Amino acid sequence: MSTTKTIIYGLYGDDDLLIDGVKQLRDKGIKINEVYTPFPVHGLDKAMGLKESRMSEFAFFYGALGLTVACLLTWYTMNYDWQQNIGGKPSFSWGENVPAFIPIMFELTVFFAAHLMSITYLILNRHYPGQKPQNPDPRTTDDKFLVEISNHDYEQVKEILIATGVEEISVKKIEDEKNN
């Protein structure tokens, strides 16, 4: 069974026009698949109606994991595996020597948070090694803004895009073949 998917692209030259266009499209009940911009546009996420990111929760979890690993590492190394009498002061407990371990705990907290956040970002955004670029118009890496809309009435979308100051409208039809 073959289905045709229609994708409408609206190209803007100004980020203020882009936000106005996105708001008007959403007000008319038109779902926007993606917006491609050359730089972060303040307020675009709210205009698109995107949910708030949970990345800060991941960052806290990863930092706590790094701190836990650092605490276990310092305890295991200094009090269990390789006890040393440094300066005539034996290490009776990990808690008595915590000030000496603070730099290690800080560094491992930052290390775990930074590296695992980078990996999480790449996975959540589907940026896998060897993946082809998904940007439909290379001008969006320079100075243009592109709105991508799927499976809507072309004439209705075209009217809204023109009313909001779009510079260019293009349509792409994709054949999807599904075996049932």
Side-chain angles (χ1 to χ4, degrees), residues 42-61:
H42 180 70
L44 183 60
D45 52 344
K46 290 182 183 173
M48 289 180 66
L50 299 177
K51 295 183 290 184
E52 191 171 320
S53 174
R54 296 182 56 205
M55 290 296 279
S56 60
E57 296 171 19
F58 285 113
F60 177 78
F61 173 73

Side-chain angles (χ1 to χ4, degrees), residues 3-119:
T3 60
T4 302
K5 183 178 182 181
T6 303
I7 301 175
I8 303 167
Y9 296 110
L11 191 69
Y12 289 91
D14 184 50
D15 57 340
D16 293 328
L17 294 175
L18 169 75
I19 291 189
D20 184 46
V22 167
K23 287 178 182 175
Q24 288 191 30
L25 287 165
R26 286 208 58 237
D27 289 344
K28 300 286 185 186
I30 296 172
K31 183 182 179 294
I32 298 169
N33 286 356
E34 188 65 72
V35 176
Y36 299 91
T37 64
F39 54 82
V41 177
H42 180 70
L44 183 60
D45 52 344
K46 290 182 183 173
M48 289 180 66
L50 299 177
K51 295 183 290 184
E52 191 171 320
S53 174
R54 296 182 56 205
M55 290 296 279
S56 60
E57 296 171 19
F58 285 113
F60 177 78
F61 173 73
Y62 295 148
L65 178 65
L67 181 63
T68 302
V69 168
C71 291
L72 290 173
L73 176 71
T74 55
W75 168 82
Y76 178 78
T77 304
M78 297 302 287
N79 293 103
Y80 182 77
D81 183 46
W82 196 19
Q83 296 177 9
Q84 294 184 20
N85 186 339
I86 299 171
K89 300 176 184 176
S91 298
F92 292 117
S93 71
W94 180 83
E96 291 175 353
N97 296 311
V98 165
F101 303 140
I102 287 176
I104 296 165
M105 292 187 293
F106 173 77
E107 291 298 332
L108 279 178
T109 299
V110 172
F111 179 84
F112 270 65
H115 286 79
L116 293 176
M117 284 291 295
S118 297
I119 293 168

Side-chain angles (χ1 to χ4, degrees), residues 157-171:
V157 173
K158 180 180 173 183
E159 288 176 19
I160 296 169
L161 290 174
I162 290 172
T164 59
V166 73
E167 292 181 358
E168 182 181 312
I169 299 172
S170 58
V171 178

